[in-house]
């Protein structure tokens, strides 16, 4: 990984923590309450994330691009299945760790890095993975956090994220060109995703002891799986794809080796689980990714 890529990683991590500090201070000075943080999380889950998914498919549609997007969607699906299988095998009886290890921060951390290292075409290749990741978090992820006893997440597949995925696929493969005003609205609302998620995390972080961030041994194990084991397995999986798909493989690998996704804390609060521990996992993995991401990208380049 070159210097420019390392700078992008550091820049995104610094931006994340600026947003988190904002949320931390707002809760500390009683400008946001616990109930207020739930409202912000609902705005993220029911408005911003669906817009992210739909907007990702609002791109130029040619026969070549259509085939590439379909292939990247299938490859992204395979990567997520490997991630969920590994996390499920290692953390079967620990739902929080299972969720955290399975799902990366492919959107907020991955997209800027992919754009800087691979180019805008690489961002298009990860659109399907990011959309599927959000859908799996809503369904499989909530099922895990609910203790596997509540099946409503699977029965209620008609949720905002699956609906937005269907709409996005119809728009793309149907050759539909949304009006400029619709694209502008989607862009504005989807742009809330990263800042809003980090601000909510900052509010959660204000409710936990910072000393616990580095003191829980199981947190390091989860980070090891998310930052090293799963990316290495993903590298092996992508080696099976044809060599001419190098750009696509590079983009998908960057998305797969990003740290724990911030939504684990949002869903944990939604289901009344230990969301402060989830925040600690997100923060620790984000810090450790400064080391792990260059290592993984360096290994993959071989």
């Amino acid at each position: 990984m070159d210097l420019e890529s390392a700078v992008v990683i550091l820049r995104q991590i610094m931006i994340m923590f600026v947003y988190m500090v904002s949320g931390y201070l707002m809760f500390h000075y009683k400008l946001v309450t616990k109930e207020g943080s739930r409202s912000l999380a609902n705005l993220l889950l029911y408005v911003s994330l669906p817009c992210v998914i739909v907007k990702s498919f609002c791109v130029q549609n040619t026969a070549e691009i259509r085939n590439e997007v379909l292939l990247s969607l299938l490859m992204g699906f395979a990567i997520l299945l490997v991630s969920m299988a590994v996390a499920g095998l290692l953390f079967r009886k620990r739902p929080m760790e299972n969720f955290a290890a399975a799902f990366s921060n492919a959107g907020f951390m991955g997209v800027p890095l992919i754009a800087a290292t691979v180019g805008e075409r690489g961002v298009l290749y990860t659109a399907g993975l990011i959309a599927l990741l959000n859908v799996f978090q809503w369904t499989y992820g909530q099922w895990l956090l609910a203790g596997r006893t509540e099946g409503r997440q699977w029965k209620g597949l008609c949720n905002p994220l699956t609906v937005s995925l269907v709409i996005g696929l119809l728009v793309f493969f149907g050759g539909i060109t949304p009006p400029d005003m619709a694209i502008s609205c989607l862009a504005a609302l989807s742009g809330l995703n990263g800042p809003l998620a980090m601000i909510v995390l900052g509010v959660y972080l204000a409710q936990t002891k910072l000393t616990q961030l580095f003191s829980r041994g199981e947190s390091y194990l989860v980070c090891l799986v998310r930052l090293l084991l799963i990316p290495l397995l993903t590298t092996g999986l992508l080696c099976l794809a044809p060599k001419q798909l190098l750009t696509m493989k590079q983009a998908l690998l960057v998305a797969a080796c990003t740290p724990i996704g911030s939504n684990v804390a949002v869903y944990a609060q939604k289901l009344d689980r230990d969301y402060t521990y989830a925040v600690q996992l997100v923060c620790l993995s984000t810090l450790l990714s400064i080391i792990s991401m260059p290592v993984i990208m360096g290994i993959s380049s071989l």
Side-chain angles (χ1 to χ4, degrees):
M1 177 174 284
D2 57 24
L3 179 60
E4 181 183 5
S5 303
V7 170
V8 173
I9 294 175
L10 290 173
R11 178 178 178 274
Q12 286 305 112
I13 291 176
M14 289 175 65
I15 291 174
M16 286 177 66
F17 281 100
V18 167
Y19 290 147
M20 288 180 65
V21 168
S22 299
Y24 185 96
L25 293 176
M26 290 177 69
F27 184 84
H28 181 75
Y29 289 105
K30 298 180 172 55
L31 298 176
V32 174
T33 62
K34 286 185 179 181
E35 189 58 38
S37 68
R38 285 183 179 272
S39 299
L40 290 175
N42 286 334
L43 178 61
L44 175 71
L45 294 174
Y46 291 93
V47 178
S48 184
L49 280 176
C51 288
V52 169
I53 294 175
V54 174
K55 182 180 178 297
S56 66
F57 290 101
C58 296
V59 295
Q60 181 185 5
N61 191 342
T62 64
E64 180 185 3
I65 292 178
R66 191 159 53 244
N67 292 334
E68 290 177 348
V69 168
L70 181 59
L71 181 58
S72 66
L73 185 66
L74 293 175
M75 292 175 68
F77 181 69
I79 290 170
L80 287 171
L81 286 182
V82 169
S83 298
M84 291 186 292
V86 171
L89 182 64
L90 296 177
F91 304 110
R92 169 174 277 184
K93 297 183 179 180
R94 299 163 71 177
M96 185 73 72
E97 290 86 347
N98 193 340
F99 188 120
F103 302 113
S104 69
N105 197 355
F108 187 81
M109 282 288 290
V111 169
L113 183 58
I114 292 166
T117 57
V118 183
E120 290 301 322
R121 179 61 69 90
V123 176
L124 174 61
Y125 292 146
T126 58
L129 183 147
I130 293 171
L132 288 172
L133 185 148
N134 284 299
V135 171
F136 278 130
Q137 284 181 333
W138 181 286
T139 52
Y140 175 71
Q142 287 197 84
W143 177 71
L144 286 176
L145 293 180
R148 306 180 187 224
T149 56
E150 299 179 25
R152 57 191 175 88
Q153 281 75 33
W154 292 105
K155 294 176 181 178
L157 284 176
C158 187
N159 61 67
L161 301 187
T162 52
V163 169
S164 60
L165 176 59
V166 171
I167 292 173
L169 291 173
L170 289 175
V171 167
F172 182 78
F173 290 104
I176 301 172
T177 304
D180 291 341
M181 186 175 72
I183 295 294
S184 298
C185 290
L186 286 172
L189 291 172
S190 61
L192 295 174
N193 178 49
L196 196 57
M198 293 302 113
I199 289 173
V200 171
L201 282 188
V203 174
Y204 297 165
L205 190 62
Q207 303 170 47
T208 186
K209 295 180 179 179
L210 295 179
T211 54
Q212 294 179 350
L213 185 62
F214 302 99
S215 62
R216 300 183 68 158
E218 60 267 29
S219 299
Y220 292 95
L221 178 59
V222 178
C223 291
L224 179 67
V225 174
R226 173 67 264 162
L227 298 175
L228 291 179
L229 178 58
I230 290 177
L232 287 174
L233 292 174
T234 300
T235 302
L237 179 65
L238 292 174
C239 284
L240 301 176
K243 292 182 178 180
Q244 57 266 32
L245 299 176
L246 179 60
T247 300
M248 184 185 298
K249 294 195 290 184
Q250 288 175 328
L252 291 172
L253 179 60
V254 172
C257 69
T258 52
I260 293 171
S262 56
N263 284 345
V264 61
V266 176
Y267 284 111
Q269 188 198 35
K270 181 175 182 287
L271 296 171
D272 295 320
R273 296 301 185 260
D274 186 4
Y275 59 86
T276 56
Y277 175 45
V279 174
Q280 294 166 11
L281 289 173
V282 173
C283 293
L284 181 61
S285 72
T286 300
L287 289 173
L288 294 178
S289 69
I290 299 174
I291 300 172
S292 66
M293 290 185 70
V295 170
I296 294 295
M297 298 307 295
I299 292 174
S300 66
S301 67
L302 300 176

